[in-house]
Amino acid sequence: MGCLVFLLALLSPRLALFFIWIFGNLLERAFDDWIVPVLGFFLLPWTTLAYAVMWGAGPNGVEGFEWFIVVLAFLADLSSYAASSRHRNY
């Protein structure tokens, strides 16, 4: 399932999140409530996907180097917003 999620994430992180939600319970294990994944789906899809995948990677949740991956995903989300803003201004 990991390779499929990776390939879907290359196409669209929202598509990967949708398939993780439909075919697995990774989002339910990573997040206590339903509102955080829904907000993450619309606002920060790379960060939500990275947090859920890193949560499932270790036995104790997200810790250590896994936080670095989540921060990189957050920076990818911010850069996509900055790029879309730059394209709107031109």
Side-chain angles (χ1 to χ4, degrees), residues 14-65:
R14 289 181 177 102
L15 185 64
L17 279 171
F18 178 73
F19 278 108
I20 284 176
W21 174 64
I22 293 292
F23 294 116
N25 64 348
L26 189 60
L27 290 177
E28 288 86 16
R29 289 186 297 148
F31 300 103
D32 292 331
D33 200 6
W34 62 271
I35 192 73
V36 175
V38 170
L39 286 174
F41 180 84
F42 291 110
L43 299 176
L44 299 169
W46 285 110
T47 307
T48 307
L49 181 63
Y51 184 82
V53 170
M54 291 298 112
W55 182 274
N60 298 328
V62 181
E63 56 186 19
F65 182 73

